[in-house]
Amino acid sequence: MRTEAQAVVIGGGVIGCSILYHLTKLGWRDVVLLERDELTSGSTWHAAANIHGLHDSANISRLQHYTMTLYKALEEETGQSCGVFQPGSLYLAQTENRVHQLKLQAAKARLYGMNFHEISRDEAERLHPLVDFDGIRSIMWEPDGGNVDPSGVTNAYAVGARQRGAEIHRFTPVTGTEQRPDGRWTVRTPKGDITTEWVINAAGLWGREVAALAGLEMPLQPTEHQYFVTETIAEIAALDRRLPSVADRDGEYYMRQEGKGLLIGAYERDMRFWAENGTPLDFAHDLFPDDLERIEENLLRAMARVPVAAQAGVKRVINGPMIWSPDSNVLLGPVPERAGYFMCGGIIPGFSQSAGMGLMVAQWIIEGEMHYDMFPWDLARFGLWANNRAFVKARVRDVYSHRFAIHFPNEERAAGRPLRRRPVYEVQKAMGAVFGMTYGWEHPLWFAGKPGVVDGNGFTRQNWWAPVGDECRMLRERAGIIDISNFAKYRCSGPGAEDWLNAVFANRMPRAVGRSCLTPLIGKRGGVAGDFTVTRVGEQDFWVIGSGMAERYHQRFFNQVPLPEGTVFTSLTDSICGFNVAGPMARQLLQGLTGTSLANDDFPFMRSQRIEVAGIEALALRVSFTGDLGWEVHCRSEDQAALYRALLAAGEALGAGPVGSRALMSLRIEKGYGSWSREYSPEYWPQEVGLERLCKMDKPFLNRDALADTLARAPRERLVLLHLDEADTATSNADATGGEPVFKDGRGIGKVTSGGYGHSVGMSLALAHVKDAAPGDEVEVMVLGTPHRARILDRPPFDPEGRRLRG
């Protein structure tokens, strides 16, 4: 066994072996995989191993498509069978919302060149004559869908990795992972120690236990999961071909052919946790006792859909463990608090995602960044707050029991909440605030006017559409008060603060006290990893404000630049709260609460001052994400409630009041403002999103050389603002929300990143990345998966000259 390696993968399931394979495929040879038992032990060996390409996330769809197409190539490369069956998959829609979801996925498939399209009932009956299609509104066909052999796939990855020089050691448990003073890791085993640059935790069911060896806690929880295989069914045995699988997610089961029978599985509402206090170390190729009664309701729906299943005997039952994250997505990425420690845990559709996941891990470790924006998989989407066990269990219960439920645009799930609350939470709740959660924090989405109103969910305009419109018009006509406490806030102070910030960010830091700047953060490949506002509040003192959901994500970038001696960089997000007071009467509202002159000459745009508001010390910034006249007012958390009461009282006399984050999103789209994780991500270059002027190439900063390379290239796409035809959106009662493909003359040219109704301008709007198109061009946006006419605007519809913002 090697005593030194570039990377050590812990865990010999399908994901660990895929990671090892892809590390070697990208050129690393000194890599080792350690498995405590036999390969496939844990949850891999008993997986149903279905494969499908489409997902609500376009990038996850692309990775699942890569996975599906790799298996046969992997067989040819290694000579190891993957047991690939691809008779296709039928996707059934029983509800209008499911029709919308599947049609949107079909539109995305068309954009990305994937094979997924609607078929007639006659064609579906020819493909699967045993299905009763009564009550089905729409049927989609994925010709490449199917299943694989779990053991075959895992061993094919292992063979491919070994062929390129990797080592695999079975029956070699890891007993310790210790970080050395030089930053490398010592991985301890009974067979000897390995020193490595990277520890990769792909331990599956034991991911929590392996993480604990490094002093880490992961928000993961195993559950039981059941499926069964029937005895031979005569009607299947009589066929000379394999039947396609059936994805009837409204029925909450899955079904495919297995041998000459059927495999049927379910995610039941009456779910069961397992190993709440730790996965047993002696567990391997084990199963739990059968408990089919628990999934009886799901099975009855399956048998009603395929009646021959009701007459078949049960050949075997698989009741085995799976391990879940709080949102059912993988926890992927380097742990920001432990350099050289990479986590990959909580994978559910492992055989649909194994190759894509392995590729992303290898790209991140070897190249420093993935080629796709995979923030929905990034473990940094959860902070350490997510390790609350009650929260983890509540969320896992919810995602398991609603595994096949539609995840709607703007959906907020209530399980495990509230978790983190600001001092004004109860006040806002009493005012009728309907809350969302960002990075664990509760924040108002909109105000219903009375407590207890539940957020509507769907693809069409919901119960909050009209109230959000009222909030938007109130702010544009008078003023609004927006809680922005969930923004990430940092302070950098000390003799090297300016130099450090200049070494991190692309823009030049403000040189005068009281001035602010906007600046991108550049990713490893020259894309936009973040956008920030930096304000100089003292000679050696700066405030930095960024995306709240990305606070832990951005920590990785900040960690890359050593702080000068005597300089401190710290998060203020927990201790500081804030409100954006915006609208044409914002100055009047605030001026009555402070002795500081807010006149334009005394307090111009992009300036800051420490002021008193209603006797409360605050930092006021003359900026506004609404694109309107406004200030951000930040105070200590313990002063938030008093400040809020004062602002609301002052606003009441002017006809102003509270405004939620959904209105803020509408208002910023009216100005064409981009937002991180939507318009800005490491996938997009500054010149594609209009941020290149903020990149000062005459100074060094993080990833400057990569940016120089991208700036030398022509933009691949450009960020544009679209005006959707009112007749089309009125007919569908829907706006673009994000992810919808954009077509021009029948050809895919891009996708929507954000969308919504611009209530103060009376327009349905969308921001989109497109190619080969210019202002004035007519395009089609696939809202609900159907064409909606749209025109590319040459300027934002609200205050295009910025007179209100600077007035």
Side-chain angles (χ1 to χ4, degrees):
M1 187 168 71
R2 287 190 178 103
T3 58
E4 293 199 6
Q6 292 168 291
V8 173
V9 181
I10 304 173
V14 66
I15 300 301
C17 289
S18 174
I19 292 170
L20 190 74
Y21 169 80
H22 282 90
L23 287 170
T24 63
K25 193 171 184 178
L26 267 60
W28 278 17
R29 298 292 180 263
D30 296 331
V31 289
V32 176
L33 183 145
L34 303 174
E35 164 56 42
R36 56 178 291 278
D37 198 272
E38 183 58 85
L39 296 185
T40 77
S41 297
S43 56
T44 292
W45 73 273
H46 62 72
N50 299 320
I51 58 173
H52 56 277
L54 271 295
H55 191 280
D56 290 336
S57 163
N59 277 350
I60 294 176
S61 291
R62 292 157 83 178
L63 293 179
Q64 292 185 173
H65 182 70
Y66 166 75
T67 300
M68 292 172 65
T69 58
L70 179 71
Y71 286 138
K72 289 185 177 178
L74 189 61
E75 288 182 326
E76 293 179 7
E77 176 188 337
T78 64
Q80 166 70 48
S81 171
C82 292
V84 181
F85 294 99
Q86 291 181 289
S89 297
L90 292 168
Y91 290 76
L92 312 183
Q94 298 186 41
T95 64
E96 182 180 43
N97 277 326
R98 189 71 67 180
V99 172
H100 293 331
Q101 181 195 39
L102 292 181
K103 287 191 172 182
L104 181 55
Q105 289 184 348
K108 292 178 182 178
R110 181 181 161 205
L111 177 66
Y112 291 110
M114 302 175 190
N115 202 350
F116 183 90
H117 57 274
E118 190 169 18
I119 61 174
S120 68
R121 175 168 177 166
D122 287 346
E123 177 66 6
E125 288 176 339
R126 184 190 66 79
L127 291 165
H128 203 316
L130 305 183
V131 174
D132 179 357
F133 290 98
D134 284 353
I136 300 301
R137 297 184 179 209
S138 176
I139 306 167
M140 293 289 172
W141 172 239
E142 183 180 31
D144 297 326
N147 63 281
V148 293
D149 170 41
S151 178
V153 168
T154 304
N155 282 290
Y157 284 134
V159 170
R162 284 193 183 105
Q163 287 175 344
R164 292 191 178 93
E167 287 186 5
I168 296 176
H169 298 278
R170 299 171 300 149
F171 305 104
T172 309
V174 172
T175 58
T177 54
E178 301 164 9
Q179 193 159 28
R180 297 156 53 102
D182 64 2
R184 295 188 297 167
W185 289 81
T186 297
V187 179
R188 302 199 183 280
T189 82
K191 298 180 181 179
D193 298 343
I194 306 175
T195 300
T196 183
E197 302 166 29
W198 283 98
V199 171
I200 303 170
N201 181 344
L205 293 174
W206 295 270
R208 297 173 298 173
E209 286 70 31
V210 170
L213 296 176
L216 300 169
E217 188 175 359
M218 292 294 160
L220 294 166
Q221 174 59 52
T223 69
E224 297 183 16
H225 176 64
Q226 292 184 95
Y227 66 84
F228 72 93
V229 178
T230 71
E231 300 282 1
T232 294
I233 295 174
E235 289 86 347
I236 296 177
L239 295 173
D240 59 357
R241 60 184 174 86
R242 192 175 181 90
L243 291 169
S245 60
V246 177
D248 182 4
R249 290 169 176 169
D250 292 320
E252 297 185 313
Y253 63 86
Y254 56 88
M255 178 187 297
R256 66 167 172 83
Q257 184 175 335
E258 177 71 10
K260 296 300 180 181
L262 291 171
L263 181 153
I264 305 174
Y267 291 92
E268 70 279 11
R269 299 298 174 91
D270 185 20
M271 55 81 68
R272 294 288 185 272
F273 293 118
W274 178 70
E276 294 183 44
N277 298 316
T279 304
L281 297 180
D282 59 353
F283 191 89
H285 290 82
D286 301 285
L287 294 173
F288 309 128
D290 306 348
D291 190 7
L292 289 181
E293 288 186 9
R294 210 167 69 236
I295 62 173
E296 182 177 7
E297 291 184 11
N298 308 65
L299 300 185
L300 290 174
R301 289 191 290 269
M303 291 171 181
R305 185 62 60 198
V306 181
V308 297
Q311 309 304 317
V314 175
K315 183 178 180 180
R316 68 177 182 275
V317 178
I318 301 294
N319 186 11
M322 310 170 75
I323 190 163
W324 300 73
S325 75
D327 60 5
S328 80
N329 278 335
V330 63
L331 298 180
L332 184 78
V335 175
E337 299 80 16
R338 293 285 193 282
Y341 196 100
F342 202 103
M343 185 69 196
C344 188
I347 303 97
I348 301 304
F351 287 90
S352 290
Q353 298 177 348
S354 66
M357 202 169 294
L359 178 62
M360 292 298 99
V361 174
Q363 286 177 352
W364 203 334
I365 287 176
I366 295 174
E367 302 174 12
E369 189 174 87
M370 299 180 292
H371 292 189
Y372 293 155
D373 173 20
M374 296 304 300
F375 189 75
W377 280 1
D378 194 327
L379 66 86
R381 69 189 183 276
F382 296 113
L384 301 183
W385 49 265
N387 291 321
N388 178 292
R389 294 308 301 167
F391 172 79
V392 173
K393 287 183 63 179
R395 298 297 272 200
V396 169
R397 180 185 296 278
D398 180 60
V399 296
Y400 180 97
S401 60
H402 297 90
R403 174 66 177 155
F404 291 142
I406 298 170
H407 292 275
F408 294 107
N410 302 300
E411 181 183 58
E412 295 281 347
R413 303 181 83 148
R417 295 169 50 200
L419 184 62
R420 307 173 87 193
R421 290 168 286 185
R422 301 286 186 179
V424 296
Y425 172 80
E426 293 296 339
V427 175
Q428 292 168 335
K429 185 177 179 181
M431 294 167 60
V434 180
F435 292 92
M437 184 178 78
T438 295
Y439 204 59
W441 292 108
E442 296 292 317
H443 66 98
L445 299 171
W446 59 286
F447 288 83
K450 60 181 180 180
V453 176
V454 179
D455 212 17
N457 283 315
F459 291 101
T460 55
R461 293 167 178 168
Q462 296 297 303
N463 62 331
W464 46 267
W465 191 82
V468 166
D470 293 339
E471 293 175 19
C472 290
R473 287 183 288 271
M474 176 182 67
L475 187 146
R476 288 285 191 237
E477 295 167 10
R478 298 180 295 279
I481 302 159
I482 307 170
D483 189 341
I484 56 170
S485 301
N486 58 329
F487 287 7
K489 300 169 287 291
Y490 314 90
R491 183 180 183 184
C492 187
S493 59
E498 181 177 359
D499 290 342
W500 186 80
L501 291 168
N502 270 319
V504 171
F505 294 115
N507 202 354
R508 186 171 292 105
M509 294 301 103
R511 290 175 176 166
V513 173
R515 290 183 177 266
S516 302
C517 76
L518 304 177
T519 180
L521 177 71
I522 302 301
K524 189 72 173 181
R525 295 181 299 114
V528 181
D531 64 310
F532 294 81
T533 301
V534 182
T535 300
R536 190 167 200 147
V537 298
E539 288 299 331
Q540 299 178 348
D541 198 358
F542 295 80
W543 273 43
V544 181
I545 299 176
S547 171
M549 66 189 295
E551 182 161 354
R552 196 176 181 207
Y553 169 87
H554 286 139
Q555 184 180 333
R556 296 193 187 106
F557 294 87
F558 301 147
N559 289 345
Q560 292 177 41
V561 182
L563 283 164
E565 187 176 353
T567 300
V568 177
F569 182 78
T570 186
S571 171
L572 302 175
T573 307
D574 291 3
S575 60
I576 297 292
C577 295
F579 300 100
N580 180 199
V581 181
M585 295 183 180
R587 178 178 284 115
Q588 184 178 349
L589 190 159
L590 277 173
Q591 190 64 81
L593 298 173
T594 181
T596 301
S597 172
L598 303 181
N600 203 37
D601 289 343
D602 299 321
F603 207 142
F605 182 60
M606 293 299 286
R607 299 294 194 274
S608 73
Q609 293 186 48
R610 294 191 183 277
I611 65 175
E612 281 195 0
V613 180
I616 297 165
E617 293 183 4
L619 177 66
L621 309 180
R622 176 82 189 275
V623 294
S624 178
F625 200 34
T626 65
D628 216 316
L629 172 69
W631 281 261
E632 290 182 4
V633 182
H634 299 274
C635 68
R636 297 181 306 169
S637 180
E638 53 264 40
D639 293 329
Q640 186 197 26
L643 177 59
Y644 197 46
R645 286 193 295 268
L647 293 173
L648 290 172
E652 187 176 8
L654 302 174
V659 170
S661 62
R662 287 204 175 128
L664 178 60
M665 291 300 100
S666 171
L667 298 168
R668 66 104 177 166
I669 291 173
E670 292 178 349
K671 282 289 289 182
Y673 287 166
S675 174
W676 190 85
S677 87
R678 299 177 180 93
E679 288 70 46
Y680 306 148
S681 88
E683 281 191 53
Y684 302 122
W685 300 340
Q687 69 269 36
E688 296 172 337
V689 295
L691 296 180
E692 68 273 24
R693 63 185 178 82
L694 301 178
C695 301
K696 308 305 181 185
M697 302 303 291
D698 59 346
K699 73 178 185 76
F701 55 85
L702 192 63
N703 299 318
R704 179 191 177 280
D705 290 346
L707 178 59
D709 289 341
T710 60
L711 290 178
R713 305 177 197 176
R716 303 157 298 180
E717 299 176 329
R718 288 194 183 277
L719 180 63
V720 299
L721 185 59
L722 304 173
H723 173 205
L724 278 66
D725 185 270
E726 267 74 31
D728 290 349
T729 55
T731 299
S732 65
N733 191 35
D735 304 289
T737 57
E740 294 89 351
V742 180
F743 290 86
K744 178 185 176 186
D745 300 327
R747 183 173 61 89
I749 62 168
K751 68 174 181 178
V752 170
T753 50
S754 296
Y757 195 78
H759 293 275
S760 76
V761 296
M763 300 166 70
S764 185
L765 300 167
L767 286 162
H769 287 286
V770 301
K771 60 184 178 182
D772 303 328
D777 286 357
E778 300 289 335
V779 299
E780 290 182 331
V781 180
M782 303 299 286
V783 179
L784 307 183
T786 60
H788 285 52
R789 292 165 293 175
R791 181 172 58 86
I792 300 177
L793 300 179
D794 63 349
R795 50 197 270 163
F798 176 77
D799 191 26
E801 305 298 332
R803 293 192 178 97
R804 287 263 290 258
L805 188 66
R806 294 171 172 81

